[in-house]
Amino acid sequence: MTIRLIAGLGNPGREYEHTRHNAGFWFVDELAWQWKAVWKEEKKYAGQVARVAHENGEVWLLKPDTFMNLSGKAVGALAQFYKIRPEEILVVHDELDIPCGRIRFKRGGGNGGHNGLKDIQAKLGTADFYRLRLGIGHPGDRNLVSAYVLNKPSAEDRQKIDEAVGKSLKGLPLVMAGDFEAATRFLHSHA
C-alpha cells in the first residue's frame, strides 16, 4: 500500500497565503519544489494539481481551489477519477489541538472540528485516509479560533511551523515506502 495522492489544505487567494490555516499548502508547495513538480490549474478537480513520477508509481499533489470547508470537492474528484482509495490518500493540514511546531501522523479518526477534514470525510464516505497534522497551537478560547487560523502566525511560530514542514518532508520517504510505524516514530519525536 502506498500513497498516491497528497493533498495540502488551505484557502486560495493572496490574503490567506501566510495564514495558519494554510500550513497544508506550505507543505505541498515545498514538496512540489523538492520533487520539481509543476502546478497546473485543473478545473475538473477544483484545484492546483501536479503529477509526479515516483519510484512507487504516479503520485498526485493537490491544493484545492475551493475554500477550506469545501476541500472534499477537489480531493473526492481527483480520487474518484484516478481510482485512488482512501487509504492511498495523505491529507496535510493545520491542527489547533497540537502545540505549534509539533507533528502528528495517523490514519483515520475524527475531524476535530476541522472543516476541511469534515468535507473530505463526507465526500469520500469514510475517515480512513492518512493525515499529517501540523500543529499551530490554540488561541485558548473557542470564540477566537476563526480569527486565529485566518491570521498570520508570529515570526517565532512561523519558524516552528516551517521547521515542522521541513521535518515532515524528511519523514515523507518513510510514509511513501509504506513504513508507517517508522514514519510515526520519526514524526512524533521531538528531536
Side-chain angles (χ1 to χ4, degrees):
M1 185 58 63
T2 188
I3 299 295
R4 294 176 56 211
L5 167 57
I6 301 172
L9 303 190
N11 281 312
R14 271 216 133 91
E15 68 269 36
Y16 297 108
E17 211 175 318
H18 301 291
T19 63
R20 291 176 179 90
H21 228 9
N22 277 32
F25 277 7
W26 303 344
F27 175 88
V28 288
D29 278 335
E30 192 60 34
L31 179 60
W33 183 80
Q34 282 189 10
W35 283 2
K36 297 175 178 46
V38 181
W39 292 109
K40 285 196 183 95
E41 176 85 32
E42 288 282 0
K43 292 271 185 259
K44 67 179 172 182
Y45 308 127
Q48 305 283 320
V49 177
R51 186 172 64 180
V52 180
H54 192 267
E55 61 197 51
N56 302 345
E58 203 168 60
V59 180
W60 294 92
L61 304 183
L62 172 66
K63 291 194 300 184
D65 275 342
T66 58
F67 280 89
M68 180 65 84
N69 56 358
L70 296 174
S71 298
K73 181 179 178 185
V75 174
L78 198 138
Q80 191 177 5
F81 189 83
Y82 290 103
K83 297 180 176 33
I84 298 170
R85 297 193 302 269
E87 63 272 19
E88 297 173 320
I89 298 173
L90 174 64
V91 175
V92 186
H93 64 90
D94 61 297
E95 179 58 67
L96 283 161
D97 297 329
I98 298 173
C100 193
R102 295 278 171 82
I103 307 159
R104 287 290 172 266
F105 173 71
K106 69 173 187 172
R107 178 173 166 185
N111 55 49
H114 193 290
N115 291 328
L117 289 180
K118 232 181 257 182
D119 196 54
I120 292 168
Q121 288 173 355
K123 296 293 186 298
L124 295 178
T126 180
D128 197 27
F129 50 89
Y130 286 93
R131 301 97 186 277
L132 181 63
R133 302 154 70 206
L134 300 170
I136 60 168
H138 197 287
D141 181 337
R142 254 183 22 181
N143 302 317
L144 301 176
V145 164
S146 185
Y148 181 78
V149 298
L150 295 176
N151 273 295
K152 285 182 175 182
S154 66
E156 186 187 344
D157 281 0
R158 176 65 199 243
Q159 188 180 344
K160 286 179 184 173
I161 296 167
D162 286 345
E163 286 167 4
V165 165
K167 182 174 181 170
S168 298
L169 290 164
K170 281 194 190 113
L172 192 62
L174 293 169
V175 174
M176 298 308 290
D179 195 345
F180 300 122
E181 212 173 290
T184 303
R185 261 197 318 274
F186 174 76
L187 292 167
H188 291 198
S189 69
H190 300 311

